[in-house]
Amino acid sequence: MMISLDAVHVGMPVFDSDGEQLGRVKAIRRPDPKAAAFEERVCSSPPSLFFLGIGSMVGIEPKVPPEMALRLFRQGYVKVAPPHFWAEDYYAAGDAIDKVEGGAVHLSLNRRELEAQE
């Protein structure tokens, strides 16, 4: 069962499955109903290094590999800003949210599992 992203708000603390606070919700993107059609079109056309790399060069969100970006668009996601300014933001797909409780987002993944997705 996927938790609705409607229950998530910018500024909420985010905890991993080990109970460690990863940071706070910086942005929320709802699932994109057109993502599946877009993915099908991309998969049926020859890959283009220009297309695959242009998003990260111009700062388009999410800043993850193309396969993960497609998953994030399909599922929706939260962007988590870590408490340290030198740390990179995390992206958690909607299906990685275990629960929203007590004004906080709790993920079903720990920090290492979340980082391994990207």
Side-chain angles (χ1 to χ4, degrees):
M1 177 182 89
M2 190 167 85
I3 303 296
S4 171
L5 289 172
D6 292 335
V8 179
H9 304 286
V10 171
M12 292 177 98
V14 179
F15 295 90
D16 72 3
S17 62
D18 295 334
E20 180 183 351
Q21 185 172 350
L22 299 175
R24 294 192 171 271
V25 175
K26 184 175 184 177
I28 305 159
R29 180 167 179 126
R30 307 284 184 248
D32 187 341
K34 296 178 183 175
F38 175 74
E39 182 176 6
E40 183 178 313
R41 190 175 83 231
V42 168
C43 291
S44 66
S45 64
S48 163
L49 291 177
F50 175 77
F51 172 75
L52 295 176
I54 194 71
S56 62
M57 290 181 353
V58 296
I60 295 174
E61 294 286 343
K63 297 178 184 177
V64 296
E67 299 82 19
M68 182 64 180
L70 290 171
R71 178 172 175 247
L72 292 175
F73 285 128
R74 267 195 319 272
Q75 299 288 324
Y77 65 87
V78 294
K79 180 177 180 180
V80 181
H84 311 292
F85 68 89
W86 63 84
E88 301 244 348
D89 293 333
Y90 295 98
Y91 295 90
D95 64 354
I97 298 173
D98 183 43
K99 61 186 173 185
V100 178
E101 180 178 273
V105 178
H106 299 270
L107 303 179
S108 60
L109 304 172
N110 65 34
R111 179 188 300 266
R112 290 173 304 287
E113 292 167 330
L114 193 62
E115 290 170 347
Q117 293 185 109
E118 299 176 14

